[in-house]
């Protein structure tokens, strides 16, 4: 059982993010978790995870990034997944952390997925945030550009900007839209019921639907990845970090994750057999391993990852 509050936070003069605070109802909370979504996600997708966290005695603080969920979407094309700079996401995060989450001074943990895990690392690198640990699922360390090489992608993004196409969706990415995704051969999860959670949410609330990324989003992601991977950027992070990734994940680059784990002072790298990109949405067998990792990190007496 949990009590849930949903509200909106003005993070700048033109943007509001929808956020949620879920608290255990049957016992006092022993701590809190900042849950950071992946690109295109929404609060509804993490309902099961939130219930499991509150069942463990944690309050859960989460929000929809700008451009997705029911937070402000910046373009006239409501479906386009767009941001001009990842600094905008970091501003969302900073406003939420300092105004909503940080006043909860109990045992605090970060749980991030993909883009949210990327932003967690950037935030930890740039802010002296007092947290007990961060569990990062398939963090977006680099950006897979699929049809373009890593060297060519920035040049293409610059060309698209010159043509005024920054806000255009990258062709061929319509399949990202939850309302049109098919379970067969999907790169996200092996669990069919959990795969359909996005589409189920969109049927209930059509405004949750979101398309693939724009050229502008891709350019912003490449620039942010360059910052994250710059020499000396993450080496100062002292927070215990656990990186979880599935051995069947084709969305992120596994070697980049291993390299990042070695750069972090206090990091444990775990590969989960049979898991795809979204570990928290995987089969019960995979999720049991995820919760083992979380419970180990969440122990108040834990001194490291």
């Amino acid at each position: 059982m949990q009590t849930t509050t949903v509200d909106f936070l003005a993070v700048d003069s033109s943007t509001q993010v929808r956020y949620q605070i879920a608290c255990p109802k049957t016992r006092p909370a022993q701590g809190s978790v900042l849950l950071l979504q992946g690109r295109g996600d929404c609060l509804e997708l993490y309902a099961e995870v939130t219930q499991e966290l509150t069942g463990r005695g944690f309050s859960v603080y989460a929000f929809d990034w700008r451009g997705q969920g029911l937070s402000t979407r910046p373009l006239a094309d409501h479906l386009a997944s767009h941001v001009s700079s990842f600094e905008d996401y970091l501003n969302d995060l900073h406003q939420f952390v300092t105004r909503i989450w940080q006043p909860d001074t109990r045992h605090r943990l970060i749980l991030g997925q993909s883009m949210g895990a990327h932003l967690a690392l950037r935030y930890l690198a740039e802010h002296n945030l007092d947290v007990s640990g961060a569990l990062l699922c398939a963090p977006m360390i680099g950006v897979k550009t699929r049809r373009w090489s890593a060297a060519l992608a920035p040049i293409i993004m610059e060309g698209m900007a010159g043509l005024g196409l920054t806000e255009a969706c990258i062709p061929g990415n319509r399949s990202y839209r939850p309302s049109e995704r098919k379970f067969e051969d999907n790169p996200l999860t092996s669990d069919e019921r959990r795969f359909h959670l996005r589409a189920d949410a969109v049927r209930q609330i059509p405004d949750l639907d979101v398309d693939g990324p724009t050229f502008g989003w891709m350019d912003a992601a490449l620039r942010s990845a360059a910052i994250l991977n710059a020499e000396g950027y993450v080496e100062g992070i002292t927070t215990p970090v656990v990186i979880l990734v599935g051995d069947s994940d084709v969305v992120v680059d596994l070697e980049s994750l291993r390299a990042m784990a070695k750069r972090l002072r206090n990091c444990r790298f775990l590969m989960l057999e049979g898991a795809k990109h979204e570990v928290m949405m995987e089969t019960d067998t995979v999720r049991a391993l995820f919760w083992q990792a979380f419970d180990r990190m969440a122990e108040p007496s834990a001194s490291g990852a």
Side-chain angles (χ1 to χ4, degrees), residues 13 23 48 51 59 61 110 134 156 167 177 206-207 237 286:
S13 60
C23 300
E48 182 180 19
Q51 289 173 357
S59 295
Y61 292 72
I110 296 175
I156 293 175
E167 297 179 355
R177 195 179 299 178
D207 284 345
I237 297 175
V286 171

Side-chain angles (χ1 to χ4, degrees), residues 10-303:
V11 293
D12 59 41
S13 60
S14 61
T15 306
Q16 290 189 322
V17 297
R18 181 181 63 148
Y19 72 89
Q20 175 181 282
I21 302 172
C23 300
K25 189 175 182 179
T26 57
R27 55 175 170 164
Q30 64 176 359
S32 66
V33 174
L34 175 63
L35 177 56
L36 300 177
Q37 308 171 5
R39 190 204 66 80
D41 291 347
C42 58
L43 295 175
E44 286 74 10
L45 184 61
Y46 291 89
E48 182 180 19
V49 175
T50 297
Q51 289 173 357
E52 289 164 315
L53 286 167
T54 57
R56 282 169 161 76
F58 288 91
S59 295
V60 183
Y61 292 72
F63 65 94
D64 294 337
W65 299 108
R66 66 175 66 203
Q68 61 192 55
L70 295 184
S71 293
T72 300
R73 302 200 179 190
L75 303 184
D77 180 0
H78 180 76
L79 289 172
S81 181
H82 179 75
V83 73
S84 298
S85 169
F86 272 39
E87 304 306 316
D88 291 338
Y89 287 144
L90 288 169
N91 177 64
D92 296 347
L93 180 53
H94 186 62
Q95 293 297 319
F96 186 76
V97 165
T98 55
R99 296 165 60 185
I100 305 296
W101 185 48
Q102 204 155 0
D104 188 337
T105 58
R106 296 166 296 185
H107 182 46
R108 291 184 302 184
L109 304 165
I110 296 175
L111 176 57
Q113 164 66 29
S114 194
M115 185 185 82
H118 169 108
L119 291 161
L121 282 172
R122 285 205 57 192
Y123 197 80
L124 288 170
E126 296 184 12
H127 296 269
N128 185 24
L129 188 61
D130 181 19
V131 295
S132 300
L135 179 58
L136 306 181
C137 299
M140 190 186 76
I141 303 303
V143 181
K144 282 197 173 182
T145 51
R146 297 188 177 185
R147 60 179 72 88
W148 311 306
S149 69
L152 187 59
I155 299 172
I156 293 175
M157 296 306 115
E158 184 177 350
M160 293 301 104
L163 293 172
L165 296 175
T166 299
E167 297 179 355
C169 285
I170 299 173
N173 279 336
R174 192 178 183 188
S175 60
Y176 276 99
R177 195 179 299 178
S179 59
E180 300 188 16
R181 287 177 177 171
K182 305 298 182 184
F183 175 71
E184 292 72 23
D185 299 321
N186 85 87
L188 302 179
T189 174
S190 308
D191 189 282
E192 187 166 6
R193 179 184 68 82
R194 293 186 177 101
F195 172 82
H196 290 298
L197 289 175
R198 282 184 175 83
D200 293 343
V202 168
R203 276 192 290 272
Q204 294 291 322
I205 309 174
D207 284 345
L208 293 175
D209 215 356
V210 65
D211 221 330
T214 63
F215 286 105
W217 185 95
M218 183 63 71
D219 179 55
L222 289 168
R223 286 185 277 117
S224 188
I227 293 172
L228 183 63
N229 286 289
E231 185 177 353
Y233 185 76
V234 300
E235 280 75 4
I237 297 175
T238 58
T239 301
V241 174
V242 179
I243 291 179
L244 286 184
V245 62
D247 64 355
S248 299
D249 192 328
V250 297
V251 177
V252 296
D253 181 73
L254 300 184
E255 292 309 312
S256 295
L257 293 184
R258 286 194 180 95
M260 177 58 68
K262 291 178 181 178
R263 293 175 60 196
L264 293 164
R265 291 189 189 183
N266 191 356
C267 181
R268 189 160 57 101
F269 180 87
L270 297 176
M271 186 171 289
L272 304 184
E273 183 178 355
K276 294 185 179 182
H277 184 57
E278 295 188 337
V279 172
M280 287 182 273
M281 308 300 159
E282 263 292 354
T283 62
D284 290 345
T285 300
V286 171
R287 294 179 87 252
L289 299 175
F290 160 79
W291 285 115
Q292 285 179 17
F294 176 86
D295 292 339
R296 177 177 173 181
M297 183 188 70
E299 285 293 329
S301 60
S303 59

